[in-house]
């Protein structure tokens, strides 16, 4: 009796169809490669692995490097400041901040405290305009300590300069710590001894100082709201000034500044301050124009009066 033939399996059937078999084989190989690539990528990027960034602030760079290594993180010195209250080499700030979760191998950017402030040469600015002198000092990494006005025909031109009460001459080779202030003696004619307060609400302290100095004014008291320190001062903005914009002051007068980190508050007060400044400027220009027109009329009347008198005298002389 003949045996019944066993039915072929699906795999056997597929193998008899070369085209389908090869296509399935290619698909299987591609799938296997994709899975292997995915697994390798997961391992390479350490997918799912997380590290909590330590708080590096207040410790030395050497200790921070050891701590970063234990947490599989990299450190990069992004900036340096000189804060006398801290020791040199101490970490002042970091990004990301401590407590943030990141992937292993993440770079943490840090700001360290310099061991001493950088020394820079003091440029000779006497004989230049106040604006030029301010720009030269800023480029050198310095600023204006005080503007002292003296009677002179060269209004708003620097007559002398002093650093640490010592005169700076053209041949002087004096260096000062970066950020130091230079006292400038500036000329002014008595008839021109006035200026108008600029609008500085919303500006950083650096920019507000620049506006005041360019207007021939000094920076008075700088009042910081609670929460502002040496590390976040650059983010603070002026929210109030002791003298409103467009107010007339004598050259060399001081304007106090109040700063905050509350940007919403700054936005509101800045809008109002700019509106008031525009209105005050328009009113000042209107008054100046009216005064100019009035003086012009008086001058014209003064020129016309003698001419009429002369005409009358000529007629009298003719009849005589």
């Amino acid at each position: 009796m003949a045996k019944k033939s066993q039915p072929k399996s699906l795999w056997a059937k597929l193998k008899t169809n070369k085209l389908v078999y090869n296509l399935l084989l290619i698909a299987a190989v591609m799938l296997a490669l994709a899975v292997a690539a995915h697994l390798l990528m997961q391992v390479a990027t350490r997918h799912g692995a997380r590290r909590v960034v330590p708080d590096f602030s207040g410790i030395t760079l050497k200790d921070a490097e050891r701590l970063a290594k234990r947490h599989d993180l990299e450190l990069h010195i992004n900036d340096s400041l000189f804060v006398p209250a801290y020791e040199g080499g101490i970490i002042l700030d970091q990004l990301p901040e401590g407590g943030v979760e990141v992937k292993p191998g993440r770079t943490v950017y840090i700001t360290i405290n310099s061991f001493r402030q950088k020394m820079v040469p003091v440029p000779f600015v006497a004989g230049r305009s106040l604006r030029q002198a301010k720009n030269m000092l800023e480029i050198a990494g310095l600023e204006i300590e005080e503007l002292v006005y003296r009677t002179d025909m060269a209004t708003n031109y620097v007559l002398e300069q002093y650093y640490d009460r010592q005169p700076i001459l053209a041949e002087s080779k004096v260096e000062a710590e970066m950020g130091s202030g230079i006292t400038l003696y500036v000329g002014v004619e008595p008839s021109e001894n006035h200026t108008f307060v600029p609008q500085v609400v919303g500006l950083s302290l650096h920019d507000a100082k620049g506006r005041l100095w360019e207007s021939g004014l000094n920076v008075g008291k700088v009042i910081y709201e609670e929460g502002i320190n040496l590390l976040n001062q650059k983010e603070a903005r002026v929210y109030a000034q002791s003298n409103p914009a467009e107010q007339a002051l004598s050259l060399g007068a001081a304007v106090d500044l109040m700063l905050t980190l509350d940007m919403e508050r700054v936005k509101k007060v800045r809008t109002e301050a700019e509106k008031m400044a525009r209105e005050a400027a328009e009113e000042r220009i209107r008054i100046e124009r009216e005064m100019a027109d009035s003086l012009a009329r008086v001058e014209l009347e003064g020129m016309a009066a003698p001419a009429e008198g002369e005409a009358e005298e000529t007629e009298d002389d003719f009849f005589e």
Side-chain angles (χ1 to χ4, degrees):
M1 188 173 178
K3 292 183 179 179
K4 290 184 177 181
S5 60
Q6 296 291 330
K8 291 183 178 180
S9 66
L10 179 61
W11 180 250
K13 290 179 179 180
L14 288 174
K15 289 181 72 175
T16 60
N17 190 329
K18 297 295 184 181
L19 177 61
V20 174
Y21 176 77
N22 288 331
L23 288 174
L24 288 175
L25 186 61
I26 292 171
V29 171
M30 292 179 66
L31 179 62
L33 289 174
V35 171
H38 177 70
L39 293 174
L40 285 173
M41 186 67 71
Q42 296 280 56
V43 173
T45 59
R46 287 173 276 190
H47 184 73
R50 309 293 289 179
R51 296 287 186 272
V52 176
V53 178
D55 184 4
F56 296 110
S57 59
I59 64 176
T60 65
L61 178 59
K62 193 173 182 180
D63 290 340
E65 288 173 341
R66 285 198 293 263
L67 186 58
K69 189 174 182 180
R70 286 204 300 270
H71 287 76
D72 198 9
L73 299 171
E74 299 289 335
L75 288 184
H76 177 76
I77 300 174
N78 191 47
D79 196 6
S80 64
L81 299 172
F82 179 69
V83 183
Y86 296 93
E87 295 180 5
I90 294 293
I91 294 177
L92 302 174
D93 198 13
Q94 66 182 80
L95 186 69
E97 299 178 349
V100 176
E101 286 192 352
V102 297
K103 290 182 179 181
R106 172 69 183 271
T107 298
V108 179
Y109 297 92
I110 58 175
T111 300
I112 66 170
N113 191 40
S114 301
F115 287 89
R116 60 167 294 178
Q117 184 61 291
K118 182 181 177 182
M119 302 297 290
V120 295
V122 179
F124 181 67
V125 299
R128 298 183 181 272
S129 69
L130 177 58
R131 183 184 291 270
Q132 289 176 320
K134 181 189 80 74
N135 291 339
M136 289 176 66
L137 291 175
E138 287 182 345
I139 291 171
L142 304 169
E143 64 178 23
I144 296 174
E145 176 73 21
E146 183 183 9
L147 296 174
V148 181
Y149 279 86
R150 286 178 175 174
T151 301
D152 192 274
M153 63 182 295
T155 298
N156 270 332
Y157 273 77
V158 178
L159 306 176
E160 299 176 35
Q161 65 184 99
Y162 286 77
Y163 168 64
D164 197 21
R165 299 184 180 181
Q166 300 298 317
I168 304 298
L169 306 176
E171 62 273 13
S172 297
K173 303 295 181 184
V174 177
E175 289 191 339
E177 290 186 353
M178 183 175 286
S180 297
I182 308 299
T183 299
L184 302 180
Y185 286 80
V186 188
V188 59
E189 288 192 10
S191 60
E192 300 179 10
N193 188 23
H194 71 279
T195 186
F196 296 96
V197 179
Q199 201 299 103
V200 298
V201 172
L203 301 182
S204 65
L205 179 59
H206 175 271
D207 292 341
K209 284 180 174 182
R211 289 274 184 90
L212 291 174
W213 290 328
E214 287 179 358
S215 299
L217 296 169
N218 280 304
V219 180
K221 296 178 182 178
V222 177
I223 303 169
Y224 294 99
E225 277 195 336
E226 188 176 352
I228 300 177
N229 54 46
L230 292 169
L231 299 180
N232 58 24
Q233 280 182 7
K234 291 182 179 179
E235 284 72 50
R237 294 293 181 268
V238 176
Y239 72 89
Q241 55 191 91
S242 60
N243 301 82
E246 296 301 320
Q247 180 182 353
L249 289 180
S250 299
L251 288 168
V255 176
D256 299 338
L257 303 174
M258 284 67 80
L259 288 95
T260 182
L261 290 171
D262 187 347
M263 294 301 109
E264 287 298 320
R265 180 182 183 184
V266 170
K267 186 177 179 181
K268 291 178 182 178
V269 296
R270 181 174 188 171
T271 301
E272 183 62 24
E274 289 177 344
K275 178 184 176 183
M276 294 177 65
R278 284 195 301 269
E279 292 174 351
E282 291 170 359
E283 178 65 13
R284 175 166 63 84
I285 292 171
R286 184 187 66 80
I287 293 172
E288 288 176 351
R289 285 176 178 171
E290 288 181 354
M291 291 182 62
D293 292 343
S294 177
L295 289 171
R297 283 195 300 270
V298 170
E299 186 175 350
L300 286 173
E301 291 172 359
M303 293 174 63
E308 292 175 0
E310 289 174 7
E312 291 176 359
E313 288 179 7
T314 303
E315 291 177 0
D316 292 342
D317 292 343
F318 176 78
F319 287 111
E320 286 177 0

